[in-house]
PDB file of all heavy atoms in Angstrom:
ATOM      1  N   GLY C  34      19.618 -11.022 -13.236  1.00  0.00           N
ATOM      2  CA  GLY C  34      19.078 -10.000 -12.830  1.00  0.00           C
ATOM      3  C   GLY C  34      18.872  -8.611 -12.402  1.00  0.00           C
ATOM      4  O   GLY C  34      18.790  -8.450 -11.252  1.00  0.00           O
ATOM      5  N   PRO C  35      18.672  -7.448 -13.074  1.00  0.00           N
ATOM      6  CA  PRO C  35      18.517  -6.045 -12.840  1.00  0.00           C
ATOM      7  C   PRO C  35      17.069  -5.724 -12.559  1.00  0.00           C
ATOM      8  O   PRO C  35      16.188  -6.534 -12.766  1.00  0.00           O
ATOM      9  CB  PRO C  35      19.025  -5.391 -14.124  1.00  0.00           C
ATOM     10  CG  PRO C  35      19.763  -6.455 -14.867  1.00  0.00           C
ATOM     11  CD  PRO C  35      19.168  -7.746 -14.444  1.00  0.00           C
ATOM     12  N   VAL C  36      16.856  -4.516 -12.155  1.00  0.00           N
ATOM     13  CA  VAL C  36      15.532  -4.050 -11.811  1.00  0.00           C
ATOM     14  C   VAL C  36      15.241  -2.794 -12.595  1.00  0.00           C
ATOM     15  O   VAL C  36      16.117  -2.214 -13.207  1.00  0.00           O
ATOM     16  CB  VAL C  36      15.453  -3.761 -10.300  1.00  0.00           C
ATOM     17  CG1 VAL C  36      15.585  -5.042  -9.530  1.00  0.00           C
ATOM     18  CG2 VAL C  36      16.524  -2.794  -9.856  1.00  0.00           C
ATOM     19  N   PRO C  37      13.969  -2.321 -12.582  1.00  0.00           N
ATOM     20  CA  PRO C  37      13.657  -1.120 -13.359  1.00  0.00           C
ATOM     21  C   PRO C  37      14.472   0.076 -12.937  1.00  0.00           C
ATOM     22  O   PRO C  37      15.076   0.078 -11.863  1.00  0.00           O
ATOM     23  CB  PRO C  37      12.170  -0.904 -13.077  1.00  0.00           C
ATOM     24  CG  PRO C  37      11.659  -2.253 -12.709  1.00  0.00           C
ATOM     25  CD  PRO C  37      12.798  -2.934 -12.015  1.00  0.00           C
ATOM     26  N   VAL C  38      14.443   1.071 -13.793  1.00  0.00           N
ATOM     27  CA  VAL C  38      15.244   2.289 -13.677  1.00  0.00           C
ATOM     28  C   VAL C  38      15.597   2.640 -12.246  1.00  0.00           C
ATOM     29  O   VAL C  38      14.732   2.864 -11.436  1.00  0.00           O
ATOM     30  CB  VAL C  38      14.473   3.467 -14.281  1.00  0.00           C
ATOM     31  CG1 VAL C  38      15.341   4.696 -14.330  1.00  0.00           C
ATOM     32  CG2 VAL C  38      13.996   3.110 -15.684  1.00  0.00           C
ATOM     33  N   ALA C  39      16.860   2.642 -11.930  1.00  0.00           N
ATOM     34  CA  ALA C  39      17.269   2.929 -10.557  1.00  0.00           C
ATOM     35  C   ALA C  39      18.552   3.737 -10.585  1.00  0.00           C
ATOM     36  O   ALA C  39      19.262   3.804 -11.569  1.00  0.00           O
ATOM     37  CB  ALA C  39      17.472   1.634  -9.785  1.00  0.00           C
ATOM     38  N   GLY C  40      18.849   4.300  -9.429  1.00  0.00           N
ATOM     39  CA  GLY C  40      20.092   5.026  -9.305  1.00  0.00           C
ATOM     40  C   GLY C  40      19.982   6.463  -9.759  1.00  0.00           C
ATOM     41  O   GLY C  40      18.926   6.989 -10.006  1.00  0.00           O
ATOM     42  N   ARG C  41      21.138   7.126  -9.899  1.00  0.00           N
ATOM     43  CA  ARG C  41      21.159   8.526 -10.266  1.00  0.00           C
ATOM     44  C   ARG C  41      20.672   8.699 -11.695  1.00  0.00           C
ATOM     45  O   ARG C  41      21.013   7.933 -12.591  1.00  0.00           O
ATOM     46  CB  ARG C  41      22.596   9.045 -10.153  1.00  0.00           C
ATOM     47  CG  ARG C  41      22.725  10.541 -10.373  1.00  0.00           C
ATOM     48  CD  ARG C  41      24.109  10.997  -9.978  1.00  0.00           C
ATOM     49  NE  ARG C  41      25.123  10.333 -10.763  1.00  0.00           N
ATOM     50  CZ  ARG C  41      25.560  10.757 -11.939  1.00  0.00           C
ATOM     51  NH1 ARG C  41      25.049  11.840 -12.475  1.00  0.00           N
ATOM     52  NH2 ARG C  41      26.504  10.101 -12.590  1.00  0.00           N
ATOM     53  N   ARG C  89      14.819  -7.387 -17.381  1.00  0.00           N
ATOM     54  CA  ARG C  89      14.571  -8.393 -16.344  1.00  0.00           C
ATOM     55  C   ARG C  89      14.103  -9.669 -17.021  1.00  0.00           C
ATOM     56  O   ARG C  89      13.365  -9.621 -18.004  1.00  0.00           O
ATOM     57  CB  ARG C  89      13.513  -7.905 -15.352  1.00  0.00           C
ATOM     58  CG  ARG C  89      13.325  -8.821 -14.141  1.00  0.00           C
ATOM     59  CD  ARG C  89      12.342  -8.216 -13.166  1.00  0.00           C
ATOM     60  NE  ARG C  89      10.975  -8.239 -13.673  1.00  0.00           N
ATOM     61  CZ  ARG C  89      10.011  -7.434 -13.258  1.00  0.00           C
ATOM     62  NH1 ARG C  89      10.276  -6.483 -12.377  1.00  0.00           N
ATOM     63  NH2 ARG C  89       8.790  -7.532 -13.755  1.00  0.00           N
ATOM     64  N   GLY C 161      12.551   7.722 -13.618  1.00  0.00           N
ATOM     65  CA  GLY C 161      12.428   7.631 -12.165  1.00  0.00           C
ATOM     66  C   GLY C 161      13.267   6.502 -11.604  1.00  0.00           C
ATOM     67  O   GLY C 161      13.911   5.751 -12.330  1.00  0.00           O
ATOM     68  N   ARG C 162      13.239   6.399 -10.304  1.00  0.00           N
ATOM     69  CA  ARG C 162      13.944   5.317  -9.602  1.00  0.00           C
ATOM     70  C   ARG C 162      12.927   4.572  -8.749  1.00  0.00           C
ATOM     71  O   ARG C 162      11.950   5.130  -8.263  1.00  0.00           O
ATOM     72  CB  ARG C 162      15.051   5.890  -8.693  1.00  0.00           C
ATOM     73  CG  ARG C 162      14.541   6.884  -7.676  1.00  0.00           C
ATOM     74  CD  ARG C 162      15.658   7.442  -6.804  1.00  0.00           C
ATOM     75  NE  ARG C 162      15.147   8.464  -5.895  1.00  0.00           N
ATOM     76  CZ  ARG C 162      14.532   8.204  -4.741  1.00  0.00           C
ATOM     77  NH1 ARG C 162      14.364   6.948  -4.358  1.00  0.00           N
ATOM     78  NH2 ARG C 162      14.089   9.188  -3.973  1.00  0.00           N
ATOM     79  N   VAL C 163      13.155   3.273  -8.587  1.00  0.00           N
ATOM     80  CA  VAL C 163      12.216   2.481  -7.808  1.00  0.00           C
ATOM     81  C   VAL C 163      12.288   2.895  -6.340  1.00  0.00           C
ATOM     82  O   VAL C 163      13.352   3.240  -5.818  1.00  0.00           O
ATOM     83  CB  VAL C 163      12.493   0.979  -7.943  1.00  0.00           C
ATOM     84  CG1 VAL C 163      12.118   0.485  -9.313  1.00  0.00           C
ATOM     85  CG2 VAL C 163      13.941   0.657  -7.630  1.00  0.00           C
ATOM     86  N   ALA C 164      11.133   2.863  -5.666  1.00  0.00           N
ATOM     87  CA  ALA C 164      11.088   3.248  -4.257  1.00  0.00           C
ATOM     88  C   ALA C 164      11.868   2.273  -3.392  1.00  0.00           C
ATOM     89  O   ALA C 164      12.353   2.653  -2.316  1.00  0.00           O
ATOM     90  CB  ALA C 164       9.633   3.327  -3.789  1.00  0.00           C
ATOM     91  N   ALA C 165      12.011   1.030  -3.823  1.00  0.00           N
ATOM     92  CA  ALA C 165      12.838   0.046  -3.118  1.00  0.00           C
ATOM     93  C   ALA C 165      13.248  -1.016  -4.125  1.00  0.00           C
ATOM     94  O   ALA C 165      12.456  -1.411  -4.982  1.00  0.00           O
ATOM     95  CB  ALA C 165      12.084  -0.586  -1.948  1.00  0.00           C
ATOM     96  N   LEU C 166      14.480  -1.477  -4.034  1.00  0.00           N
ATOM     97  CA  LEU C 166      14.984  -2.461  -4.985  1.00  0.00           C
ATOM     98  C   LEU C 166      14.523  -3.870  -4.646  1.00  0.00           C
ATOM     99  O   LEU C 166      14.519  -4.748  -5.509  1.00  0.00           O
ATOM    100  CB  LEU C 166      16.515  -2.422  -5.020  1.00  0.00           C
ATOM    101  CG  LEU C 166      17.131  -1.110  -5.502  1.00  0.00           C
ATOM    102  CD1 LEU C 166      18.647  -1.188  -5.432  1.00  0.00           C
ATOM    103  CD2 LEU C 166      16.689  -0.798  -6.923  1.00  0.00           C
ATOM    104  N   GLN C 167      14.160  -4.118  -3.394  1.00  0.00           N
ATOM    105  CA  GLN C 167      13.762  -5.445  -2.956  1.00  0.00           C
ATOM    106  C   GLN C 167      12.287  -5.471  -2.601  1.00  0.00           C
ATOM    107  O   GLN C 167      11.701  -4.450  -2.239  1.00  0.00           O
ATOM    108  CB  GLN C 167      14.580  -5.879  -1.739  1.00  0.00           C
ATOM    109  CG  GLN C 167      16.064  -6.069  -2.006  1.00  0.00           C
ATOM    110  CD  GLN C 167      16.805  -6.427  -0.728  1.00  0.00           C
ATOM    111  OE1 GLN C 167      16.743  -5.700   0.257  1.00  0.00           O
ATOM    112  NE2 GLN C 167      17.491  -7.551  -0.746  1.00  0.00           N
ATOM    113  N   ARG C 168      11.715  -6.655  -2.663  1.00  0.00           N
ATOM    114  CA  ARG C 168      10.326  -6.829  -2.242  1.00  0.00           C
ATOM    115  C   ARG C 168      10.174  -6.456  -0.771  1.00  0.00           C
ATOM    116  O   ARG C 168       9.259  -5.734  -0.393  1.00  0.00           O
ATOM    117  CB  ARG C 168       9.913  -8.282  -2.469  1.00  0.00           C
ATOM    118  CG  ARG C 168       8.470  -8.598  -2.084  1.00  0.00           C
ATOM    119  CD  ARG C 168       8.153 -10.064  -2.303  1.00  0.00           C
ATOM    120  NE  ARG C 168       6.772 -10.383  -2.004  1.00  0.00           N
ATOM    121  CZ  ARG C 168       5.759 -10.288  -2.859  1.00  0.00           C
ATOM    122  NH1 ARG C 168       5.998  -9.893  -4.097  1.00  0.00           N
ATOM    123  NH2 ARG C 168       4.525 -10.595  -2.509  1.00  0.00           N
ATOM    124  N   HIS C 169      11.070  -6.961   0.050  1.00  0.00           N
ATOM    125  CA  HIS C 169      11.120  -6.604   1.474  1.00  0.00           C
ATOM    126  C   HIS C 169      12.433  -5.852   1.704  1.00  0.00           C
ATOM    127  O   HIS C 169      13.485  -6.474   1.840  1.00  0.00           O
ATOM    128  CB  HIS C 169      11.070  -7.850   2.366  1.00  0.00           C
ATOM    129  CG  HIS C 169       9.779  -8.596   2.300  1.00  0.00           C
ATOM    130  ND1 HIS C 169       8.729  -8.346   3.165  1.00  0.00           N
ATOM    131  CD2 HIS C 169       9.349  -9.580   1.474  1.00  0.00           C
ATOM    132  CE1 HIS C 169       7.720  -9.154   2.883  1.00  0.00           C
ATOM    133  NE2 HIS C 169       8.071  -9.904   1.860  1.00  0.00           N
ATOM    134  N   PRO C 170      12.405  -4.528   1.732  1.00  0.00           N
ATOM    135  CA  PRO C 170      13.654  -3.767   1.882  1.00  0.00           C
ATOM    136  C   PRO C 170      14.400  -4.144   3.160  1.00  0.00           C
ATOM    137  O   PRO C 170      13.791  -4.280   4.231  1.00  0.00           O
ATOM    138  CB  PRO C 170      13.166  -2.306   1.938  1.00  0.00           C
ATOM    139  CG  PRO C 170      11.818  -2.323   1.290  1.00  0.00           C
ATOM    140  CD  PRO C 170      11.225  -3.656   1.620  1.00  0.00           C
ATOM    141  N   ALA C 171      15.718  -4.338   3.022  1.00  0.00           N
ATOM    142  CA  ALA C 171      16.535  -4.684   4.192  1.00  0.00           C
ATOM    143  C   ALA C 171      16.577  -3.525   5.184  1.00  0.00           C
ATOM    144  O   ALA C 171      16.702  -3.735   6.389  1.00  0.00           O
ATOM    145  CB  ALA C 171      17.946  -5.058   3.746  1.00  0.00           C
ATOM    146  N   GLU C 172      16.469  -2.305   4.688  1.00  0.00           N
ATOM    147  CA  GLU C 172      16.409  -1.120   5.536  1.00  0.00           C
ATOM    148  C   GLU C 172      15.209  -0.274   5.115  1.00  0.00           C
ATOM    149  O   GLU C 172      14.819  -0.278   3.953  1.00  0.00           O
ATOM    150  CB  GLU C 172      17.694  -0.289   5.412  1.00  0.00           C
ATOM    151  CG  GLU C 172      18.947  -1.011   5.877  1.00  0.00           C
ATOM    152  CD  GLU C 172      20.184  -0.134   5.749  1.00  0.00           C
ATOM    153  OE1 GLU C 172      20.029   1.018   5.263  1.00  0.00           O
ATOM    154  OE2 GLU C 172      21.272  -0.582   6.108  1.00  0.00           O
ATOM    155  N   ALA C 173      14.651   0.421   6.057  1.00  0.00           N
ATOM    156  CA  ALA C 173      13.489   1.251   5.755  1.00  0.00           C
ATOM    157  C   ALA C 173      13.868   2.324   4.729  1.00  0.00           C
ATOM    158  O   ALA C 173      14.883   3.005   4.893  1.00  0.00           O
ATOM    159  CB  ALA C 173      12.954   1.904   7.023  1.00  0.00           C
ATOM    160  N   PRO C 174      13.086   2.485   3.680  1.00  0.00           N
ATOM    161  CA  PRO C 174      13.361   3.563   2.718  1.00  0.00           C
ATOM    162  C   PRO C 174      13.230   4.920   3.404  1.00  0.00           C
ATOM    163  O   PRO C 174      12.621   5.041   4.472  1.00  0.00           O
ATOM    164  CB  PRO C 174      12.271   3.373   1.658  1.00  0.00           C
ATOM    165  CG  PRO C 174      11.798   1.964   1.828  1.00  0.00           C
ATOM    166  CD  PRO C 174      11.940   1.663   3.289  1.00  0.00           C
ATOM    167  N   PRO C 175      13.797   5.974   2.827  1.00  0.00           N
ATOM    168  CA  PRO C 175      13.646   7.316   3.402  1.00  0.00           C
ATOM    169  C   PRO C 175      12.172   7.679   3.560  1.00  0.00           C
ATOM    170  O   PRO C 175      11.341   7.304   2.738  1.00  0.00           O
ATOM    171  CB  PRO C 175      14.345   8.217   2.371  1.00  0.00           C
ATOM    172  CG  PRO C 175      15.286   7.317   1.643  1.00  0.00           C
ATOM    173  CD  PRO C 175      14.639   5.972   1.611  1.00  0.00           C
ATOM    174  N   ASP C 178      10.272   9.094   0.605  1.00  0.00           N
ATOM    175  CA  ASP C 178       9.918   8.099  -0.404  1.00  0.00           C
ATOM    176  C   ASP C 178       8.673   7.320   0.014  1.00  0.00           C
ATOM    177  O   ASP C 178       7.780   7.064  -0.804  1.00  0.00           O
ATOM    178  CB  ASP C 178      11.087   7.138  -0.622  1.00  0.00           C
ATOM    179  CG  ASP C 178      12.274   7.792  -1.313  1.00  0.00           C
ATOM    180  OD1 ASP C 178      12.177   8.995  -1.635  1.00  0.00           O
ATOM    181  OD2 ASP C 178      13.291   7.109  -1.515  1.00  0.00           O
ATOM    182  N   LEU C 251       3.702  -3.039  -4.227  1.00  0.00           N
ATOM    183  CA  LEU C 251       5.038  -3.142  -3.649  1.00  0.00           C
ATOM    184  C   LEU C 251       5.822  -1.875  -3.958  1.00  0.00           C
ATOM    185  O   LEU C 251       5.592  -1.215  -4.974  1.00  0.00           O
ATOM    186  CB  LEU C 251       5.766  -4.354  -4.231  1.00  0.00           C
ATOM    187  CG  LEU C 251       5.089  -5.716  -4.066  1.00  0.00           C
ATOM    188  CD1 LEU C 251       5.815  -6.759  -4.899  1.00  0.00           C
ATOM    189  CD2 LEU C 251       5.058  -6.117  -2.600  1.00  0.00           C
ATOM    190  N   LEU C 252       6.770  -1.554  -3.107  1.00  0.00           N
ATOM    191  CA  LEU C 252       7.615  -0.395  -3.371  1.00  0.00           C
ATOM    192  C   LEU C 252       8.428  -0.587  -4.651  1.00  0.00           C
ATOM    193  O   LEU C 252       8.772   0.383  -5.331  1.00  0.00           O
ATOM    194  CB  LEU C 252       8.548  -0.149  -2.188  1.00  0.00           C
ATOM    195  CG  LEU C 252       7.856   0.279  -0.885  1.00  0.00           C
ATOM    196  CD1 LEU C 252       8.862   0.307   0.263  1.00  0.00           C
ATOM    197  CD2 LEU C 252       7.175   1.625  -1.037  1.00  0.00           C
ATOM    198  N   SER C 253       8.712  -1.837  -5.011  1.00  0.00           N
ATOM    199  CA  SER C 253       9.450  -2.100  -6.246  1.00  0.00           C
ATOM    200  C   SER C 253       8.597  -1.881  -7.489  1.00  0.00           C
ATOM    201  O   SER C 253       9.110  -1.911  -8.609  1.00  0.00           O
ATOM    202  CB  SER C 253       9.997  -3.538  -6.232  1.00  0.00           C
ATOM    203  OG  SER C 253       8.968  -4.472  -5.980  1.00  0.00           O
ATOM    204  N   ASN C 254       7.299  -1.660  -7.314  1.00  0.00           N
ATOM    205  CA  ASN C 254       6.413  -1.340  -8.439  1.00  0.00           C
ATOM    206  C   ASN C 254       6.055   0.141  -8.485  1.00  0.00           C
ATOM    207  O   ASN C 254       5.129   0.531  -9.205  1.00  0.00           O
ATOM    208  CB  ASN C 254       5.127  -2.163  -8.352  1.00  0.00           C
ATOM    209  CG  ASN C 254       5.331  -3.609  -8.753  1.00  0.00           C
ATOM    210  OD1 ASN C 254       6.256  -3.927  -9.491  1.00  0.00           O
ATOM    211  ND2 ASN C 254       4.482  -4.489  -8.260  1.00  0.00           N
ATOM    212  N   ILE C 255       6.788   0.939  -7.717  1.00  0.00           N
ATOM    213  CA  ILE C 255       6.543   2.380  -7.690  1.00  0.00           C
ATOM    214  C   ILE C 255       7.829   3.104  -8.047  1.00  0.00           C
ATOM    215  O   ILE C 255       8.865   2.916  -7.406  1.00  0.00           O
ATOM    216  CB  ILE C 255       6.053   2.828  -6.293  1.00  0.00           C
ATOM    217  CG1 ILE C 255       4.759   2.093  -5.917  1.00  0.00           C
ATOM    218  CG2 ILE C 255       5.845   4.339  -6.254  1.00  0.00           C
ATOM    219  CD1 ILE C 255       4.273   2.380  -4.517  1.00  0.00           C
ATOM    220  N   LEU C 256       7.776   3.894  -9.119  1.00  0.00           N
ATOM    221  CA  LEU C 256       8.918   4.706  -9.524  1.00  0.00           C
ATOM    222  C   LEU C 256       8.732   6.121  -8.990  1.00  0.00           C
ATOM    223  O   LEU C 256       7.632   6.676  -9.057  1.00  0.00           O
ATOM    224  CB  LEU C 256       9.040   4.753 -11.050  1.00  0.00           C
ATOM    225  CG  LEU C 256       9.121   3.413 -11.799  1.00  0.00           C
ATOM    226  CD1 LEU C 256       9.218   3.671 -13.295  1.00  0.00           C
ATOM    227  CD2 LEU C 256      10.304   2.597 -11.317  1.00  0.00           C
ATOM    228  N   LEU C 257       9.805   6.692  -8.480  1.00  0.00           N
ATOM    229  CA  LEU C 257       9.767   8.048  -7.943  1.00  0.00           C
ATOM    230  C   LEU C 257      10.525   8.979  -8.888  1.00  0.00           C
ATOM    231  O   LEU C 257      11.668   8.705  -9.250  1.00  0.00           O
ATOM    232  CB  LEU C 257      10.395   8.079  -6.544  1.00  0.00           C
ATOM    233  CG  LEU C 257       9.744   7.155  -5.509  1.00  0.00           C
ATOM    234  CD1 LEU C 257      10.503   7.203  -4.193  1.00  0.00           C
ATOM    235  CD2 LEU C 257       8.281   7.527  -5.283  1.00  0.00           C
ATOM    236  N   PRO C 342      15.898 -16.319  -6.289  1.00  0.00           N
ATOM    237  CA  PRO C 342      14.917 -15.594  -5.478  1.00  0.00           C
ATOM    238  C   PRO C 342      13.506 -16.016  -5.818  1.00  0.00           C
ATOM    239  O   PRO C 342      13.226 -16.486  -6.921  1.00  0.00           O
ATOM    240  CB  PRO C 342      15.164 -14.129  -5.858  1.00  0.00           C
ATOM    241  CG  PRO C 342      16.556 -14.103  -6.390  1.00  0.00           C
ATOM    242  CD  PRO C 342      16.767 -15.428  -7.038  1.00  0.00           C
ATOM    243  N   GLN C 344      10.981 -14.243  -6.484  1.00  0.00           N
ATOM    244  CA  GLN C 344      10.573 -13.482  -7.647  1.00  0.00           C
ATOM    245  C   GLN C 344      11.449 -12.239  -7.664  1.00  0.00           C
ATOM    246  O   GLN C 344      12.161 -11.959  -6.705  1.00  0.00           O
ATOM    247  CB  GLN C 344       9.091 -13.113  -7.578  1.00  0.00           C
ATOM    248  CG  GLN C 344       8.704 -12.319  -6.344  1.00  0.00           C
ATOM    249  CD  GLN C 344       7.225 -11.978  -6.364  1.00  0.00           C
ATOM    250  OE1 GLN C 344       6.706 -11.489  -7.346  1.00  0.00           O
ATOM    251  NE2 GLN C 344       6.549 -12.236  -5.268  1.00  0.00           N
ATOM    252  N   PRO C 345      11.457 -11.489  -8.783  1.00  0.00           N
ATOM    253  CA  PRO C 345      12.298 -10.289  -8.816  1.00  0.00           C
ATOM    254  C   PRO C 345      12.023  -9.388  -7.628  1.00  0.00           C
ATOM    255  O   PRO C 345      10.886  -9.068  -7.302  1.00  0.00           O
ATOM    256  CB  PRO C 345      11.890  -9.630 -10.140  1.00  0.00           C
ATOM    257  CG  PRO C 345      11.446 -10.772 -10.989  1.00  0.00           C
ATOM    258  CD  PRO C 345      10.776 -11.731 -10.044  1.00  0.00           C
ATOM    259  N   GLY C 346      13.075  -8.977  -6.938  1.00  0.00           N
ATOM    260  CA  GLY C 346      12.914  -8.099  -5.796  1.00  0.00           C
ATOM    261  C   GLY C 346      12.760  -8.832  -4.484  1.00  0.00           C
ATOM    262  O   GLY C 346      12.689  -8.208  -3.433  1.00  0.00           O
ATOM    263  N   ALA C 347      12.689 -10.183  -4.508  1.00  0.00           N
ATOM    264  CA  ALA C 347      12.516 -10.929  -3.268  1.00  0.00           C
ATOM    265  C   ALA C 347      13.837 -11.006  -2.520  1.00  0.00           C
ATOM    266  O   ALA C 347      14.910 -10.753  -3.055  1.00  0.00           O
ATOM    267  CB  ALA C 347      12.004 -12.322  -3.573  1.00  0.00           C
ATOM    268  N   ALA C 348      13.762 -11.372  -1.226  1.00  0.00           N
ATOM    269  CA  ALA C 348      14.963 -11.523  -0.430  1.00  0.00           C
ATOM    270  C   ALA C 348      15.764 -12.710  -0.941  1.00  0.00           C
ATOM    271  O   ALA C 348      15.198 -13.690  -1.419  1.00  0.00           O
ATOM    272  CB  ALA C 348      14.583 -11.725   1.035  1.00  0.00           C
ATOM    273  N   PRO C 349      17.099 -12.681  -0.853  1.00  0.00           N
ATOM    274  CA  PRO C 349      17.902 -13.804  -1.319  1.00  0.00           C
ATOM    275  C   PRO C 349      17.605 -15.054  -0.496  1.00  0.00           C
ATOM    276  O   PRO C 349      17.053 -14.997   0.590  1.00  0.00           O
ATOM    277  CB  PRO C 349      19.341 -13.309  -1.095  1.00  0.00           C
ATOM    278  CG  PRO C 349      19.241 -11.833  -0.981  1.00  0.00           C
ATOM    279  CD  PRO C 349      17.899 -11.553  -0.384  1.00  0.00           C
TER     280      PRO C 349
END
Side-chain angles (χ1 to χ4, degrees):
V36 293
V38 187
R41 186 169 60 87
R89 187 176 71 202
R162 57 181 176 81
V163 289
L166 297 178
Q167 295 177 304
R168 181 182 183 87
H169 294 268
E172 297 181 358
D178 290 359
L251 303 170
L252 294 172
S253 54
N254 285 336
I255 301 175
L256 305 179
L257 302 176
Q344 58 179 311

